[in-house]
């Protein structure tokens, strides 16, 4: 009788579901295929997992392939991350990049390469690691994820960027070095009207744990628009940290109030440095156009002071939730953005005063070395650091349903992330990755990153031809733009204005505007 009762109940449920499917008007599939049509939605729901675990090959997954994820996981766990039987990648494929090793390789140095950040106007320079935690806010990440990242940074001696969501207690709890990022919402240092509060900024930025201060102009995931934290995520705690109303949608404006022109931007960066007591001050951007960068360089020359650092975020960056059109089609990739900024600073004679950080899919030692060759002084990693604390690339960051407690405000989900264990993993991942970068630098015959040149990085143009970055791209000489801009840069150089981000002659359909 028990089995018959169960079957009867199952039949009744199926009949009820059939009736519902036939009556409802939202899904055509269910009206034509009641009950069994639900299988379509189930398979669609689990498609990413099926793709990631059973279909994709080790080297072609996105955003990070399985080989890269495995390297991060194994190094975080203290496993060396070696591979047997040779590469699975097609080394003759167009677009394949490779580094040039030396016949007389060098042993890596016993001490880690460090980068001193702080120009002539900075009184408290900071020694930066080659790899650091990129900008990720509390609110986007859970409290335990922030705790683990910062504790790992404290143990490993590298910097942790706060993201634009404010300077939370979780960032400060374990004493790791901080780069305090301020975005267009001025969270954590804002007036009731949403303007920048200089007094509050001075008080917080002079905390000893804050080593650098950074102004976010744009980010790779969504350049040109601000962030949005849904009202449901604006808890009492987040509202207090960001200084916004609880339970209301928290919006970062697309544009800043503190500047409108390149000159005003540079003047505000100088003000941030002064308010912080002389700490390194800079800005982060995803490069839009070369002309924008040159306008900023002209403003630096006019004002007479320079940012201590510029962080270049590539359009392939992506910890933030963003419209897919922005993620896929807006902004300059890191390779081109990085070389644009580097060459602009070299050409205007400013490169020795300003350090460049690179952020965008940095996960391995070879990633670090490639970015150093392309113009960076140091690198930042966001998603790789998330993987070090347990992220499985579920790509549920924007839903608050992160299955491992990294990108969620659910206390139930976040409690799965053990801070003690995961902070050790962050430390080990950083240490192993930087060591691998140092070993590669030695294998290339260089004593230090400063000896790396574009000749040492090559890319396949076809299956039969490759060229080095030195041959493929233009590299300016120090001060070349000031002396006489080469033809390939002249139009952008002449159009760039220190007093306006619009060019001197802005071409539009139907005419020209001044």
């Amino acid at each position: 009788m028990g089995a018959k009762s169960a079957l009867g109940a199952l039949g009744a449920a199926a009949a009820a579901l059939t009736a519902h499917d036939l009556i409802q008007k939202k899904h055509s599939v269910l009206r034509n295929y009641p009950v069994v049509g639900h299988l379509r939605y189930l398979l669609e729901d689990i498609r990413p997992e099926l793709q990631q675990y059973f279909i994709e090959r080790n080297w072609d997954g996105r955003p990070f392939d399985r080989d890269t994820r495995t390297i991060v996981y194994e190094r975080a766990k203290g496993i060396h991350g070696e591979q047997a039987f040779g590469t699975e990648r097609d080394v003759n494929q167009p677009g394949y990049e490779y580094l040039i090793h030396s016949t007389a390789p060098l042993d890596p140095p016993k001490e880690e390469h460090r980068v001193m950040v702080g120009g002539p106007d900075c009184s408290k320079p900071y020694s930066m690691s080659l790899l650091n935690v990129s900008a990720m806010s509390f609110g986007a990440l859970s409290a335990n994820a922030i705790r683990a990242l910062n504790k790992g940074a404290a143990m490993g001696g590298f910097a942790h960027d706060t993201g634009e969501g404010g300077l939370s207690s979780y960032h400060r709890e374990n004493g790791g070095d901080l780069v305090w990022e301020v975005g267009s919402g001025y969270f954590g240092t804002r007036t009731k009207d949403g303007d920048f509060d200089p007094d509050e900024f001075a008080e917080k930025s002079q905390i000893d744990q804050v080593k650098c201060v950074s102004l976010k102009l744009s980010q790779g995931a969504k350049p040109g628009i601000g962030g949005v934290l849904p009202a449901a995520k604006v808890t009492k705690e987040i509202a207090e940290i960001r200084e916004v109303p609880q339970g209301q949608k928290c919006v970062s404006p697309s544009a800043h109030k503190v500047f409108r022109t390149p000159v005003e931007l540079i003047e505000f960066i100088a003000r941030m440095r002064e308010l912080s007591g002389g700490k390194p001050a800079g800005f982060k951007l995803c490069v839009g156009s070369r002309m924008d960068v040159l306008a900023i360089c002209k403003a630096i020359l006019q004002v007479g002071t320079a940012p201590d650092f510029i962080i270049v975020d590539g359009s392939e960056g992506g910890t933030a939730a963003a419209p897919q059109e922005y993620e896929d089609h807006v902004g300059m990739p890191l390779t081109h953005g990085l070389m644009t900024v580097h060459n602009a600073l070299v050409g205007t004679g400013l490169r020795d005063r300003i350090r460049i950080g690179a952020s965008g899919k940095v996960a391995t030692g070879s990633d670090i070395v490639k970015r150093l060759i392309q113009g960076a002084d140091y690198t930042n990693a966001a998603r790789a650091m998330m993987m070090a604390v347990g992220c499985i690339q579920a790509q549920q960051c924007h839903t608050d349903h992160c299955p491992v407690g990294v990108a969620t405000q659910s206390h139930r989900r976040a409690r799965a992330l053990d801070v003690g264990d995961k902070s050790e993993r962050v430390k080990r991942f950083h240490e192993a990755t930087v060591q691998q970068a140092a070993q590669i630098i030695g294998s290339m015959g260089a004593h230090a990153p400063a000896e790396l040149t574009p000749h040492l990085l090559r890319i396949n143009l076809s299956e039969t031809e490759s060229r080095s970055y030195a041959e493929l791209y233009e590299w300016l000489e120090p001060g070349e733009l000031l002396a006489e801009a080469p033809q390939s840069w002249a139009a952008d150089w002449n159009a760039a204005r220190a007093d306006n981000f619009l060019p001197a002659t802005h071409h539009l359909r139907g005419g020209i505007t001044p």
Side-chain angles (χ1 to χ4, degrees), residues 256-424:
H256 275 273
K257 293 182 179 180
V258 294
F259 74 88
R260 284 290 182 269
T261 70
V263 164
E264 290 174 352
L265 166 63
I266 298 307
E267 290 174 340
F268 186 76
I269 297 294
R271 188 184 184 199
M272 290 176 66
R273 181 169 51 225
E274 180 183 359
L275 291 170
S276 70
K279 294 178 180 179
F283 62 88
K284 180 181 84 172
L285 85 166
C286 176
V287 177
S289 72
R290 186 163 66 181
M291 190 200 67
D292 277 352
V293 177
L294 292 174
I296 292 172
C297 290
K298 285 187 174 183
I300 294 171
L301 295 170
Q302 180 175 315
V303 175
T305 186
D308 298 294
F309 61 89
I310 298 173
I311 300 170
V312 181
D313 202 12
S315 62
E316 60 268 53
T319 58
Q324 188 164 352
E325 293 92 338
Y326 277 83
E327 289 190 336
D328 290 349
H329 302 292
V330 182
M332 194 177 290
L334 181 55
T335 294
H336 300 291
L338 189 54
M339 292 191 296
T340 296
V341 172
H342 170 75
N343 275 297
L345 294 178
V346 170
T348 51
L350 297 168
R351 186 63 180 89
D352 60 341
R353 299 171 61 183
I354 302 171
R355 296 290 176 255
I356 299 177
S359 175
K361 295 190 75 172
V362 176
T364 67
S366 57
D367 293 334
I368 295 175
V369 175
K370 288 179 181 179
R371 298 313 181 189
L372 297 178
I373 288 174
Q374 292 165 357
D377 294 297
Y378 63 92
T379 64
N380 295 332
R383 285 169 291 180
M385 291 292 181
M386 289 172 65
M387 286 188 274
V389 297
C391 168
I392 59 172
Q393 196 172 278
Q395 297 178 267
Q396 297 292 314
C397 310
H398 60 299
T399 67
D400 207 33
H401 295 154
C402 173
V404 291
V406 177
T408 180
Q409 292 306 301
S410 165
H411 293 291
R412 181 182 65 81
R413 292 175 182 272
R415 67 182 295 275
L417 196 159
D418 183 81
V419 174
D421 174 63
K422 302 306 183 185
S423 59
E424 289 284 352

Side-chain angles (χ1 to χ4, degrees), residues 109 111-116 127-133 157-159 356-358 362 364-365 367-369 371-372 376-381 385 430 433-439 441 448-450 452:
E111 295 186 2
E112 178 193 341
H113 296 297
R114 306 287 294 195
V115 178
M116 192 59 67
S127 178
M128 189 79 72
S129 173
L130 289 184
L131 177 64
N132 306 278
V133 181
F158 52 98
I356 299 177
V362 176
T364 67
D367 293 334
I368 295 175
V369 175
R371 298 313 181 189
L372 297 178
D377 294 297
Y378 63 92
T379 64
N380 295 332
M385 291 292 181
H430 171 271
T433 305
V434 171
Q435 285 179 353
Q436 196 64 44
Q439 187 169 38
I441 291 170
L452 299 175

